[in-house]
Amino acid sequence: MTTPPFPEDPEQPAYPQDLEQPGLVRTGRSTFVRPIRPEDADRLVAFVGGLSRATLAYRSLGPVIRARDDVIRRGAYVDYLNELALVALAGDEIAGLVRYVRDTEDPEHAEVTFTIRDDDQSEGFGRLLLEHIAAAARARGIRVLKADVLADNTRMINVFLGSGYRVESGPPGQIVHFDIAVDPQAQAVARAERREHTAVRRSLRPLLEPRSVAVIGANRSPLTIGHEIVANLLRGGFRGSVFPVNPRAGQVAGARAYPSVRELPEPPDLALIAVRAEAVPEVVRECAAAGVKAVVVVSTGFGETGAAGRTTELELSRFARASGMRLVGPNCMGVVNTTSSARLAATFSPALPTPGRVAMSSQSGPLGLAVLDLARRLRLGFSGFVSVGHAVDVSTNDLLQWWEEDPETSVILLHVETFGNPRRFARIARRVAPRKPIIAVHPGHAGHAQTTGQVDSGVRGGPDRRGNPAGHADPSGPSDSTGPSDSAVSSLFAQSGVIRTRSLQELFDAALLLAHQPPPPGNRVAVITNAGGPAALTVGACAASGLSVPPLGERTREKLRAALGPGAEAANPADLTPMATAAHYRQALDAVLADDGIDAAIVLFMPPLADKPDEVAAAILDAAEAAPAKPVVASFLGGAGVADLLHRGELVVPTYAFPESAAASLGHAAAYQAWRSTPAGVVPDLPGVDTDRARSLLAGCAPGPVSPRLAAELLDSYGIAVRDTEPGSGPGSLPSSGLGSGPGSGLDAFLSVGADPVFGPVVAFGLTGDYADLMADVAHRVTPLSDRDAREMVRSLRAAPLLDGRVGGPGVDLAALEETVLRISAMVEDLPEIEAMELRPIRLLPPGDGVAVTRATIRLADETRKGGLS
């Protein structure tokens, strides 16, 4: 624990006893509000440690990483004048916290922040604490409390707007600024201008919310790309000006055409380019000269044709950015934004999406056509769709940040093979995902074989079949990290909060649920059916999707028997029999959704066994509407057109052709909610790290493998000692058995880092020998690692009982091992020049004895091969 600011200090500010007051929240629950005290330090740590990622995202307005414990403890020491914190207690625990800090330049103003424990956020603690802090601030000469709130944090916004105080807010944006006049008689001064948007969002506005659009290469002939883009812009209801550009046409799709961009009546915000590849560079230059702010290159014939085409498209990107333009493509199908502020259908797709709350980025142009067609058939509405093509400039990372702030987007879909900057993707995803689900389709492929960080000599093909660096023999035995398995790739997505699917159908199935229903609070599912066979398949599918089908509560069973008669199966699955009516479905759904032991419901209906599916659908909608906190999904097996029946205004119950799809979608949603509700870890500030020394060691180093001695010195800069820097020599070369030689013997492990095309730096950990070779027992995590990540990573191995002493002796020094993992993560984060690294073998010693790194290899990246900034 750090030294408190006021340790036994006679000058410590007097505790304001008068601020201790009982209170009642909106639900009638009693609480006690008082100023925070130094002895609350540990209580404050426990309070912050229990906050979910979602709450931290709203609280921090940025990366969802919890502060260190010593920093949190300092929050218990305030002067009760210029800084004041009040806590609302639930028993001996903190249920809510409010803090103001006086503005040193304007003492009549203070910044105020609120944090409410997850389980108490709907009870009214925020409004109660605002009332108390406003009175305390007013007594201390503060007139205005200033607060910044994320635009989708509706609970906190409603607290301010409904408080009764004078409240003024800035223009809407990602962050809404509030000035709260704590003296009802005082006129609060609102902030003159809203916070600046991020540079990315500003740059994307001409692309996604343009005021005018030019189509260069517009064609008079229908069914050509240039013609269909113009037609879709007009047909889609775009409110701005549409300028077809064709030197040999007077009109295109009924709109007046112009011979060149230079002769347009005004500089367009956005230009779509659909001309031959060889003409594109000149057209882009004309657009820059004309003042165009963003271009979409639909044309093909670039990177997909070979090295020369790749060079050309990179030159296009550099020119566009230098000219103040953003560029989408090339080889893409355009941009769609159905939100109320845009109505932009800048694409040649024959199928345009209906408005909705799902946004998608797709790297494949042809795939995008299929996606939009499938979305229409599934009645899945889109707020936006961007085909990024080769993504030489605008990337999925940029679009994530745009949709993060878009109030009309609640679910984000991704189909990409690589990201311009994987590090950036992992960070953005972890910031966005607590508030908006991100679903990615990623079937898995051999390209992930390098993510374990095997260090090769830079030759393509990398390590040999045993994983040894090319041209190097491994004296300690065979290599084990052969690349993450399919389940390991899933764990990397899960760590970033991204829902991973393996097919487009699965992607849309999950999106259909999360766009229309809440994620389930847990994984316990009730199955209601009128046929036993499909129910059995559903139970199996639930188990495969990480869901459980638990017994119903006794009260629920009584309700089912009373409603359905003695012949009904009052169990889970609840078999209503083929004679079930719509009323039976409604009664059964009402009963299971009211069960505290049930988190979601899957409803199966076999139309051939019962008539009037429209009445059954209406009953399902009624029950879902009555229990909005728990998701309901349906499968009308053999029914045609039933998806239309399960829509009622904004209320939609997702329906699937087969129950397995319903179970898989619920499984994804439940796993996402579990991640979202889990407290975030801490990225610790490690002692003994000398970043300046490490950077000086790397100064002037060429790409490729570094010498063993330099590798050891770099690791030493991060507090990791390498016992032997030359393979096979000296007393530091320890044998690598991987299995140990008996109780208490040391185990050997490896720790490696590699660059994954999706996630960026990925850390891999496992035991050497047969554990990884035969059992593929390797854990993977994305940097930066928190203390929670390191702990879970080490303990996630199937061989974990050997490490913690459950079998085979006293175990190993887990604390030292986890600290080594964290030091490697910090090293990779601080030194992006490191492309790959491997520590092998690492002797894992008994508790208290630490770990012994006996050999290390490091490879530096070629700057020309690094990912871009997007």
Side-chain angles (χ1 to χ4, degrees):
M1 183 182 298
T2 58
T3 303
F6 313 115
E8 306 296 326
D9 185 353
E11 299 296 324
Q12 180 173 344
Y15 177 79
Q17 192 82 30
D18 61 301
L19 296 183
E20 291 189 348
Q21 297 180 31
L24 289 173
V25 296
R26 178 179 55 81
T27 58
R29 177 178 169 185
S30 180
T31 186
F32 191 78
V33 179
R34 64 165 172 79
I36 203 164
R37 301 189 293 243
E39 55 264 37
D40 292 324
D42 289 338
R43 188 178 288 112
L44 187 60
V45 169
F47 169 67
V48 175
L51 299 176
S52 70
R53 284 185 171 94
T55 294
L56 285 174
Y58 284 123
R59 170 65 184 82
S60 65
L61 308 181
V64 187
I65 295 177
R66 187 172 73 86
R68 302 192 316 267
D69 286 359
D70 59 331
V71 175
I72 295 171
R73 286 191 176 93
R74 286 201 293 271
Y77 299 87
V78 296
D79 63 11
Y80 303 118
L81 177 64
N82 297 312
E83 182 178 8
L84 173 65
L86 303 178
V87 294
L89 300 178
D92 195 44
E93 299 176 343
I94 298 175
L97 169 73
V98 61
R99 182 187 305 271
Y100 80 63
V101 178
R102 192 188 300 265
D103 189 332
T104 56
E105 297 181 1
D106 188 352
E108 294 187 339
H109 290 67
E111 293 282 347
V112 66
T113 57
F114 294 78
T115 311
I116 310 298
R117 193 169 59 179
D118 286 66
D119 292 341
D120 302 307
Q121 289 179 1
S122 61
E123 297 203 27
F125 279 93
R127 189 159 295 175
L128 177 68
L129 287 172
L130 174 59
E131 178 181 329
H132 283 256
I133 199 71
R138 190 162 56 241
R140 286 156 176 76
I142 294 172
R143 293 192 307 109
V144 178
L145 294 175
K146 303 183 292 182
D148 288 332
V149 183
L150 286 171
D152 61 343
N153 189 356
T154 54
R155 284 178 175 166
M156 202 68 243
I157 290 173
N158 289 335
V159 165
F160 293 149
L161 296 179
S163 65
Y165 297 107
R166 294 179 183 269
V167 178
E168 296 190 24
S169 61
Q174 178 200 9
I175 298 174
V176 181
H177 179 81
F178 288 92
D179 283 345
I180 306 158
V182 297
D183 183 352
Q185 303 303 313
Q187 178 65 46
V189 178
R191 200 174 264 188
E193 297 178 352
R194 64 175 175 177
R195 287 179 171 270
E196 281 192 356
H197 285 280
T198 63
V200 168
R201 185 166 175 82
R202 286 200 308 267
S203 71
L204 292 184
R205 189 172 296 280
L207 171 70
L208 297 171
E209 294 180 354
R211 295 164 298 180
S212 55
V213 180
V215 181
I216 304 170
N219 198 301
R220 288 173 293 186
S221 303
L223 303 182
T224 58
I225 289 177
H227 182 277
E228 294 307 302
I229 293 174
V230 175
N232 280 340
L233 282 165
L234 299 173
R235 190 164 51 234
F238 179 63
R239 300 186 182 96
S241 301
V242 177
F243 303 124
V245 175
N246 185 326
R248 292 180 295 276
Q251 283 190 343
V252 174
R256 178 188 171 185
Y258 296 84
S260 71
V261 179
R262 296 184 298 272
E263 298 178 55
L264 295 179
E266 63 183 69
D269 283 344
L270 171 64
L272 285 96
I273 301 174
V275 299
R276 300 184 319 276
E278 57 268 25
V280 169
E282 179 59 31
V283 171
V284 171
R285 284 191 287 270
E286 290 180 359
C287 288
V292 175
K293 299 180 179 66
V295 293
V296 175
V297 180
V298 177
S299 310
T300 61
F302 291 91
E304 75 275 13
T305 65
R310 179 63 179 165
T311 298
T312 300
E313 65 186 22
L314 291 176
E315 290 173 351
L316 280 177
S317 173
R318 286 191 286 267
F319 175 81
R321 293 299 290 265
S323 302
M325 296 189 299
R326 297 304 306 267
L327 185 149
V328 174
N331 193 13
C332 69
M333 55 172 288
V335 176
V336 176
N337 186 355
T338 70
T339 61
S340 55
S341 59
R343 300 290 186 236
L344 176 72
T347 177
F348 57 86
S349 171
L352 296 181
T354 56
R357 303 197 62 81
V358 176
M360 183 173 184
S361 168
S362 173
Q363 196 161 349
S364 168
L367 182 64
L369 296 172
V371 162
L372 294 180
D373 180 64
L374 178 61
R376 285 193 68 90
R377 288 190 279 114
L378 292 175
R379 294 193 58 167
L380 183 65
F382 275 73
S383 59
F385 181 91
V386 179
S387 169
V388 295
H390 295 170
V392 295
D393 177 26
V394 173
S395 71
T396 294
N397 291 341
D398 295 315
L399 298 170
L400 274 175
Q401 295 183 85
W402 176 270
W403 291 322
E404 174 188 9
E405 304 175 9
D406 181 13
E408 297 186 44
T409 297
S410 58
V411 180
I412 301 171
L413 308 184
L414 306 179
H415 176 270
V416 291
E417 298 172 1
T418 61
F419 292 83
N421 189 324
R423 288 175 182 258
R424 197 175 177 205
F425 165 70
R427 285 159 179 74
I428 295 170
R430 279 183 275 190
R431 187 182 73 236
V432 175
R435 295 188 290 120
K436 297 185 180 184
I438 301 173
I439 312 174
V441 57
H442 190 281
H445 53 76
H448 276 77
Q450 291 291 323
T451 62
T452 55
Q454 301 286 351
V455 183
D456 63 31
S457 62
V459 178
R460 283 208 177 271
D464 63 23
R465 62 182 183 85
R466 297 170 67 96
N468 298 323
H472 295 74
D474 187 348
S476 60
S479 179
D480 315 288
S481 31
T482 56
S485 63
D486 188 70
S487 61
V489 172
S490 291
S491 75
L492 298 178
F493 275 104
Q495 184 199 355
S496 301
V498 178
I499 300 169
R500 185 243 182 139
T501 61
R502 293 167 176 79
S503 68
L504 280 177
Q505 185 65 58
E506 189 181 1
L507 177 87
F508 280 105
D509 286 345
L512 199 62
L513 190 156
L514 288 166
H516 300 301
Q517 294 279 304
N523 71 338
R524 302 164 299 178
V525 177
V527 179
I528 297 175
T529 183
N530 64 349
L537 292 174
T538 305
V539 172
C542 285
S545 302
L547 303 170
S548 68
V549 184
L552 301 173
E554 180 57 35
R555 186 176 179 184
T556 304
R557 293 197 298 271
E558 290 176 0
K559 289 180 181 179
L560 287 174
R561 284 190 287 265
L564 308 176
E569 182 68 29
N572 192 11
D575 189 350
L576 309 184
T577 78
M579 303 306 294
T581 64
H584 292 142
Y585 270 93
R586 173 66 195 272
Q587 292 165 332
L589 259 180
D590 284 343
V592 300
L593 292 175
D595 191 324
D596 290 337
I598 295 298
D599 302 306
I602 298 176
V603 185
L604 308 180
F605 178 68
M606 291 288 290
L609 301 181
D611 56 4
K612 300 182 179 178
D614 54 335
E615 294 182 5
V616 173
I620 295 171
L621 287 169
D622 290 341
E625 189 172 28
K630 296 182 179 181
V632 177
V633 298
S635 179
F636 278 39
L637 291 91
V642 292
D644 294 337
L645 301 178
L646 288 166
H647 288 244
R648 181 188 296 159
E650 295 295 317
L651 176 62
V652 177
V653 171
T655 180
Y656 302 93
F658 300 103
E660 294 88 345
S661 299
S665 299
L666 265 182
H668 286 309
Y672 165 71
Q673 179 63 15
W675 175 87
R676 187 173 180 261
S677 303
T678 301
V682 180
V683 176
D685 187 7
L686 299 164
V689 171
D690 190 344
T691 307
D692 291 339
R693 177 193 172 201
R695 286 177 177 150
S696 67
L697 289 169
L698 287 176
C701 287
V706 304
S707 70
R709 189 166 301 281
L710 177 55
E713 291 181 3
L714 287 168
L715 287 162
D716 184 66
S717 301
Y718 279 80
I720 300 173
V722 180
R723 181 174 300 188
D724 180 29
T725 61
E726 295 297 335
S729 65
S733 292
L734 301 178
S736 176
S737 65
L739 297 174
S741 57
S745 67
L747 295 169
D748 285 353
F750 67 87
L751 191 61
S752 62
V753 180
D756 183 87
V758 172
F759 299 100
V762 173
V763 180
F765 168 74
L767 299 183
T768 59
D770 291 344
Y771 292 108
D773 269 350
L774 301 181
M775 297 170 21
D777 193 13
V778 181
H780 301 80
R781 292 295 185 275
V782 182
T783 65
L785 272 66
S786 68
D787 56 353
R788 186 184 187 95
D789 292 328
R791 185 167 56 251
E792 291 177 350
M793 181 181 191
V794 168
R795 289 165 170 77
S796 67
L797 295 181
R798 294 194 294 278
L802 290 171
L803 303 179
D804 60 21
R806 281 177 283 169
V807 299
V812 305
D813 195 335
L814 286 173
L817 175 58
E818 291 166 12
E819 183 177 320
T820 302
V821 172
L822 289 169
R823 289 181 182 277
I824 289 298
S825 172
M827 184 175 178
V828 173
E829 285 296 297
D830 292 343
L831 308 173
E833 301 94 327
I834 295 177
E835 182 177 58
M837 173 169 34
E838 185 170 51
L839 279 58
R840 176 196 298 269
I842 304 172
R843 174 57 55 90
L844 307 180
L845 303 176
D849 291 345
V851 299
V853 179
T854 62
R855 188 157 70 97
T857 49
I858 293 176
R859 184 179 67 230
L860 303 182
D862 183 343
E863 292 292 327
T864 63
R865 290 165 51 195
K866 282 189 177 181
L869 298 176
S870 296

